[in-house]
Amino acid sequence: MPRYDRFTEELLGFLLTRLDDESDLEHLVTHEPRRISAAYFEGGGGRAETRVMRFTGCAACSRIPPYTLFPSYGRITVPAWPCLPVRALALRFAGEPDYCDGWRPEVALFASGRLVHET
C-alpha cells in the first residue's frame, strides 16, 4: 500500500478495521486515495506562470481532464481525499471513540484548502 499523510492513513486504517460488508469495501476501493496534480495560473506583480499543485485525491471524484488549467490556486475545485462518499461511509461510525470529527462530510475540502460546503 502506498504511503500517504497521517490523516489519510488513519482514516484508511479506521475504515479497514470496521467495514465487513463486501460492497462497502468495494465502495472504498472505488474511492481510493491517489496522488493527483492540478495546474493553475499564478500572476501578479508583473509576472505570470503556470504552477502545479500535487495532492491526495479520490480516484473516482478527483478526475481532472487533460490540459486543465485552473484560473488560480484558490479556484481549484477538485475534492481532496477523503471525498464525500468516503466521509459518508465513515460517518456511521461517528459514535466510536476513534472517530475523528475532521472526517465529517461538512468539513470536506477542495485540494486548494477551501471547504466544499462553505457556509
Side-chain angles (χ1 to χ4, degrees):
M1 176 163 117
R3 300 285 302 172
Y4 297 104
D5 61 61
R6 192 174 134 209
F7 183 78
T8 301
E9 292 197 13
E10 284 176 359
L11 178 52
L12 281 172
F14 179 86
L15 286 172
L16 290 173
T17 59
R18 285 160 179 82
L19 296 176
D20 54 7
D21 182 76
E22 189 150 332
S23 66
D24 286 341
L25 289 169
E26 286 175 16
H27 187 74
L28 182 59
V29 168
T30 300
H31 294 274
E32 69 181 331
R34 68 179 176 105
R35 297 301 295 159
I36 296 174
S37 298
Y40 64 95
F41 180 78
E42 185 171 287
R47 65 175 177 73
E49 60 189 28
T50 300
R51 295 196 171 202
V52 175
M53 176 201 192
R54 290 177 178 77
F55 64 97
T56 301
C58 168
C61 299
S62 301
R63 294 193 177 140
I64 301 173
Y67 311 110
T68 298
L69 179 63
F70 291 93
S72 68
Y73 177 84
R75 303 227 354 236
I76 297 174
T77 54
V78 181
W81 202 91
C83 59
L84 288 172
V86 171
R87 289 172 182 273
L89 196 59
L91 191 58
R92 74 175 83 159
F93 305 108
E96 296 191 18
D98 293 346
Y99 183 84
C100 173
D101 282 338
W103 298 335
R104 292 188 171 281
E106 59 268 22
V107 292
L109 299 174
F110 289 124
S112 61
R114 284 186 318 135
L115 284 171
V116 171
H117 299 289
E118 289 186 351
T119 54

